[in-house]
Structure formats: C-alpha cells, structure tokens
Amino acid sequence: MKPQSYRDAGVNIDEGNRLVDLIKPMVKTTLRKEVLTGLGGFGALFRADFATMTDPLLVSGTDGVGTKLKIAFLMDKHDTVGIDLVAMSVNDIVVQGAEPLFFLDYFATGKLAADKAASVVKGIAEGCKQAGCALIGGETAEMPGFYGEGEYDLAGFGVGVVDRPKLVDGSQVRPGDKLIGLSSTGVHSNGFSLARKVIFDTMNLTVSDYVSDLGMTVGEALLCPTKIYVPEALALCREGLAQSMAHITGGGLPENLPRVLPLGVKAIIDTSSFTPPPIFQLIQEHGPVEESEMFRAFNMGIGFVVVVHAEDEARALEILAERGADARTIGVIEAGEGVAKVVLS
C-alpha cells in the first residue's frame, strides 16, 4: 500500500509555512516597542511597562465577524474583514478608557489557500495599525471537511490597559449630560443575517447589483469595514471628558447604552438628529422591517456613543472634529427609575 501523509488527509503544512512567510512583513508593521518576539514561537512576549500608572488594569475582549464573512465569500474579496475583526474587539476595550496593546487572531478553513489567508491578515494588520495595537500572534487551523469549499471563519482576542483612576465606568453620569454619537460606516458587523435575508431573499439582489440609492453595488455597501473608534475615544479620555462610552453592536442603541449607564437614569435619543445610511433605509423599506426592530438589529448610523457633562459638550465635539470624526449630539441623560433605559424620540 502507498504510504499515507498529512497532505493526503487534506492538511498542507507547506502551505501553512508559506502563509507565515507572506504575513511576516504585515505583522511587523503593527509591532510596538513592548513586543519582544516575532512570529513562529509558541507564545508571544510582551513586556508590559506600566510605570506611569498608579493601578493598571488589563481589559480584554474577544469577538468574530459573523455572517458578514458570507459577503466576502460571494465577492471573493478578503482584505477588509480583518479590519472588522479587530474593530469588534478594540472598540469594546476602549469603552472603558483602555488603550489596546496587542491582538491575536484565529483563522480556520477547510483547505488553506495561503494567498487568500494572507489577504485576510492584511486587513487584520491594518485594523491593528488603526487601533495602535500590535498583532503578536494567532492560529491558522486547516480542518478538512469542516468548512465549505472556499470558506473560513475568524475570531480575535485583544488586550488593553487603563489606569484605575482613569477607568470609564459610567459612575459619574448624571441628568443633563449629553450623548455624542459617532457615525458608523454602515452595517459594521452585526445584523447580517437579517440584512442578507431581506436583500438576497426578499429583494433577490446579488452582491454585484448596483443600487443607485447606495451609490455602489450591494456587496460594496455590505462589506464596508467597521469603523475603529479608538483614536477618537482615547483623545476624549486623555482630557477626562468621557463619562461613559458604548460600542453600538448587536442590540443597537436600545440595548447597548443601558450597559454603561448607572441606575436611576435614562437616555433620550433624538432620532431626528442623525440620518441612517441608505443601506438601512433599503432594508427597512423592502423587508419590510419595523423601525423598532431596525434599531434593535442595527447601529442605524451611530456606531459609538460618548456621554459627556453638558459643560464639556462643546470641547468634546471640537476634539472629535479636529480628528475628522463625523460626530454630533444625539440626546441627553434624564432622571429615571430603576434600571437604565433608552427612549427613542
């Protein structure tokens, strides 16, 4: 009998080694001075220097990209979902005022294609550069028969640090505070099961169909990468302006804002203060989807919210404008009873 090999079983170690060679230059562009090792070791070394902090706290987050990957498969475009992967973790980490330090990724596929995987890592590296964190390691898993042909899955894990006296925990939020919303770039990475059902099943569109209201193809609109809010959020934290922050992901404004508000207050959102991007209008009209469900499933154009004291509103908006952020006041904190809640008006 012919001797069997790992490659005969569907796992190509040589292709994995080729991937490592392809991504080494990308990873190198993300490294910070604290990183002591390159790719290839069993574990990555990060020399944590918190001498300037009185009580450093590590903040961690992990997430994936969800069924947005289906859009990447359909378009055969893989260099932006990595940005989404990083964004979903670092945007969560920075909510507590933490600076992202490093990131690790997990890439799993049925049959490894090094060039495609390298394209994904290119996006991860870009996301890390936008967030200011280092891509210090990861795992590539080739699992024959586990995924459909040409498909893969992504997960990521990030770690950041914040000095306890500067922790943003919402404890100082009070009635009269203002809610500043930072615009999203579109659907980001939540609600894609509903988006795909409406657009592909109900409307019978394909990713290559151009929609005049979108000004681009369906695929381009859906694949637009998640905005990374780390630079803007940290700029506000450095001046002590952010009293609370929320990353608007699954559950939308109604379910994410209460997570960062103290008891006894409610957030009044003026929905007329911002206009949802056309992709949301398309989904709502053709679903049809009720407005309340739209706000629970999607970010509706607001991807990140910062709560500031009323007297700091102008300065916060000025800082955000200096950084080119599309930001506006979208509501106010009022006194309430019991558990914090969001009221859309």
Side-chain angles (χ1 to χ4, degrees), residues 57-251:
L57 302 176
L58 293 180
V59 182
S60 62
T62 185
D63 213 329
V65 181
T67 61
K68 185 172 187 174
L69 292 177
K70 289 285 190 180
I71 311 301
F73 302 156
L74 290 170
M75 296 183 68
D76 195 23
K77 179 175 172 55
H78 310 279
D79 59 349
T80 61
V81 289
I83 299 176
D84 293 293
L85 181 67
V86 176
M88 294 304 289
S89 286
V90 297
N91 285 345
D92 281 355
I93 289 172
V94 81
V95 157
Q96 294 173 90
E99 174 192 359
L101 297 174
F102 57 82
F103 187 84
L104 297 96
D105 70 279
Y106 173 80
F107 176 95
T109 187
K111 180 177 176 59
L112 181 63
D115 292 321
K116 180 187 292 186
S119 185
V120 173
V121 175
K122 178 182 177 182
I124 296 173
E126 173 59 28
C128 286
K129 286 189 285 186
Q130 290 182 25
C133 63
L135 176 57
I136 62 172
E139 164 69 1
T140 301
E142 189 172 18
M143 304 191 297
F146 202 83
Y147 294 93
E149 183 177 354
E151 295 187 347
Y152 55 82
D153 196 13
L154 290 175
F157 175 83
V159 172
V161 65
V162 61
D163 200 0
R164 185 187 288 270
K166 298 180 179 179
L167 179 68
V168 179
D169 61 4
S171 61
Q172 300 304 308
V173 171
R174 62 197 186 206
D177 285 351
K178 301 295 184 178
L179 301 165
I180 295 177
L182 281 71
S183 294
S184 69
T185 50
V187 185
H188 282 185
S189 298
N190 294 99
F192 271 85
S193 294
L194 177 56
R196 291 187 300 111
K197 179 177 177 60
V198 173
I199 292 173
F200 300 142
D201 297 344
T202 303
M203 299 180 67
N204 292 315
L205 295 176
T206 69
V207 291
S208 59
D209 285 330
Y210 180 88
V211 178
S212 57
D213 288 344
L214 301 178
M216 60 186 75
T217 67
V218 168
E220 289 170 336
L222 290 175
L223 205 57
C224 187
T226 305
K227 166 74 175 171
I228 291 177
Y229 298 100
V230 171
E232 295 91 339
L234 291 181
L236 295 176
C237 290
R238 280 192 289 269
E239 294 205 19
L241 302 180
Q243 303 305 320
S244 186
M245 296 187 286
H247 181 202
I248 309 306
T249 55

Side-chain angles (χ1 to χ4, degrees), residues 274-295:
F274 57 93
T275 302
I279 186 67
F280 296 123
Q281 299 174 34
L282 187 78
I283 294 169
Q284 184 173 358
E285 177 183 351
H286 292 277
V289 182
E290 293 183 355
E291 185 173 60
S292 60
E293 182 67 11
M294 290 294 296
F295 272 95

